[in-house]
Amino acid sequence: KVGMSGDIEVRFDTLYRNAKTKMITIHNVNNRCNLCPVIITGEPEAVRFAWAVGIGNSTGSGFGGVI
């Protein structure tokens, strides 16, 4: 949607043993969230973009944050 072209792969770190899910409600909508590390690989510009704006849905509501 932002007009970027570049390959990127985002995946959960399946070796991380303390992954959790949590239910969060925003405006009476329940959202199941994952709390775990992700691995981001790809073209540097695409990776920087993922770090800057987040990954997935509802990033404007604080979901998909990458730290």
Side-chain angles (χ1 to χ4, degrees), residues 39-60:
I39 299 168
I40 305 170
T41 56
E43 295 183 25
E45 182 181 7
V47 173
R48 279 192 299 273
F49 185 80
W51 277 103
V53 301
I55 300 167
N57 295 325
S58 300
T59 55

Side-chain angles (χ1 to χ4, degrees), residues 4-65:
M4 287 186 61
S5 61
D7 291 329
I8 187 168
E9 179 183 356
V10 180
R11 65 185 187 280
F12 292 115
D13 182 354
T14 57
L15 300 177
Y16 183 69
R17 294 190 175 154
N18 294 319
K20 298 176 180 143
T21 61
K22 185 175 183 176
M23 290 297 292
I24 303 289
T25 303
I26 295 181
H27 302 296
N28 295 321
V29 176
N30 293 325
N31 300 276
R32 182 174 302 276
C33 304
N34 296 302
L35 303 168
C36 62
V38 294
I39 299 168
I40 305 170
T41 56
E43 295 183 25
E45 182 181 7
V47 173
R48 279 192 299 273
F49 185 80
W51 277 103
V53 301
I55 300 167
N57 295 325
S58 300
T59 55
S61 295
F63 295 103

